[in-house]
């Protein structure tokens, strides 16, 4: 995974230098930003992963993440000294993929970076092939079909699109509002409560053919994510 580009955002110069030096020694190309506005500008270079501090002046990391999610789907790893569950939930709800507390282990940060980039590579390869493969389940992105343990799952169009959206961004948490806006559009007549009903139906259809995995997990207080483990 050398030569991947990582955007590192933190208002502390010492942390920037500490992480940047270590990642560049491993062959990564590291972009840096000391505030949220510069981060949004640097993100136009399409980094493979973003490391984002939460507590920053002018625009905090949560606000930056919300804006980034309008244009980028790459993994976002939060760094924060805020240790409460509420803070972690806010970070995930904003579109973050991971949340690492300060002070942190550099070895753990690099391990998480490697894990996220490996996952992204696998997903991109599968998307290029038109098929997403998970234990007991296969999604044909071209044919818009889902097969579970050899059985074709009879999903409606919107049910399929929910499955595809979550599966293509494995591990990322989406709120009901985000799913509704992406699949129904901002101007659609209705409300996001329909997402709950659609996901309930998808789970029931998948459960009819697999008993050991739920695939779509509820992240309480935030929304839903795809997790085949």
């Amino acid at each position: 995974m050398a030569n991947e580009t990582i955007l590192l955002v933190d208002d502390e110069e010492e942390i920037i230098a500490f992480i940047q030096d270590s990642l560049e020694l491993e062959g990564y190309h590291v972009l840096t930003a000391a505030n949220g506005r510069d981060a949004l500008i640097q993100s136009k270079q399409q980094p493979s992963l973003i490391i984002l501090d939460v507590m920053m002046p002018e625009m905090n990391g949560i606000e930056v993440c919300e804006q980034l999610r309008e244009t980028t789907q790459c993994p976002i790893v939060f760094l924060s000294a805020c240790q409460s569950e509420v803070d972690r939930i806010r970070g995930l709800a904003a579109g973050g993929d991971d949340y690492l507390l300060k002070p942190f282990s550099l070895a753990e940060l690099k391990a998480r970076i490697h894990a996220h980039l490996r996952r992204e590579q696998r997903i991109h390869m599968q998307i290029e092939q038109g098929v997403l493969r998970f234990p007991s389940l296969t999604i044909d992105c071209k044919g818009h079909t889902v097969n579970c343990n050899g059985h074709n799952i009879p999903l409606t169009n919107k049910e399929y699109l929910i499955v595809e959206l979550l599966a293509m961004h494995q591990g990322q948490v989406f709120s009901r509002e985000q799913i509704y806006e992406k699949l129904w559009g901002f101007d659609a007549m209705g409300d996001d409560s329909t997402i709950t009903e659609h996901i309930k139906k998808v789970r029931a259809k998948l459960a009819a053919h697999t008993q050991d995995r739920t695939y779509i997990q509820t992240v309480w207080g935030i929304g839903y994510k795809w997790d085949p483990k």
Side-chain angles (χ1 to χ4, degrees):
M1 282 174 285
N3 299 321
E4 296 275 15
T5 297
I6 295 177
L7 172 56
L8 174 58
V9 187
D10 201 298
D11 62 336
E12 297 185 48
E13 293 182 4
E14 296 82 1
I15 290 180
I16 287 279
F18 175 59
I19 298 176
Q20 182 177 10
D21 288 346
S22 180
L23 294 180
E24 287 181 342
L25 284 174
E26 294 200 11
Y28 292 108
H29 174 53
V30 181
L31 304 172
T32 64
N35 57 67
R37 300 190 189 284
D38 286 347
L40 294 174
I41 293 172
Q42 291 281 47
S43 70
K44 295 178 181 179
Q45 298 192 49
Q46 299 183 330
S48 302
L49 181 141
I50 299 171
I51 301 171
L52 183 59
D53 184 31
V54 173
M55 302 300 292
M56 295 185 295
E58 296 184 28
M59 182 184 293
N60 66 44
I62 302 298
E63 296 169 325
V64 174
C65 184
E66 289 174 339
Q67 292 197 35
L68 285 171
R69 279 297 177 232
E70 296 177 4
T71 57
T72 182
Q73 295 296 335
C74 77
I76 296 177
V77 178
F78 278 113
L79 295 180
S80 177
C82 302
Q83 301 189 19
S84 73
E85 181 181 22
V86 172
D87 290 314
R88 292 195 296 273
I89 288 175
R90 286 184 63 214
L92 294 173
D97 297 271
D98 210 341
Y99 197 100
L100 191 60
L101 296 175
K102 294 180 178 180
F104 56 89
S105 158
L106 184 58
E108 181 179 2
L109 174 61
K110 290 193 290 187
R112 294 193 186 199
I113 290 171
H114 295 164
H116 283 295
L117 291 178
R118 283 198 304 270
R119 186 196 70 197
E120 288 296 298
Q121 286 183 345
R122 288 196 300 268
I123 292 174
H124 287 159
M125 288 177 63
Q126 291 177 4
I127 290 174
E128 288 176 1
Q129 296 169 356
V131 178
L132 299 175
R133 302 183 189 280
F134 303 96
S136 307
L137 186 144
T138 301
I139 301 171
D140 183 343
C141 300
K142 295 179 180 178
H144 280 212
T145 59
V146 176
N147 187 283
C148 190
N149 283 324
H151 296 87
N152 189 52
I153 308 302
L155 300 177
T156 66
N157 181 56
K158 282 295 192 289
E159 288 169 356
Y160 169 80
L161 291 175
I162 289 172
V163 169
E164 184 183 77
L165 172 68
L166 296 178
M168 281 186 171
H169 304 94
Q170 182 180 338
Q172 182 178 330
V173 182
F174 288 87
S175 67
R176 294 189 313 176
E177 293 85 354
Q178 289 172 323
I179 297 172
Y180 188 83
E181 289 173 359
K182 287 179 180 293
L183 302 186
W184 272 261
F186 288 99
D187 300 324
M189 299 297 292
D191 61 77
D192 56 44
S193 64
T194 188
I195 300 301
T196 303
E197 293 304 312
H198 276 74
I199 287 180
K200 185 184 299 183
K201 292 177 181 178
V202 170
R203 283 172 166 164
K205 291 177 181 180
L206 295 180
H209 299 289
T210 179
Q211 304 298 322
D212 58 341
R213 291 180 173 84
T214 56
Y215 295 102
I216 299 177
Q217 291 193 1
T218 299
V219 182
W220 297 109
I222 308 178
Y224 304 96
K225 71 175 181 178
W226 186 266
D227 187 354
K229 296 180 182 178

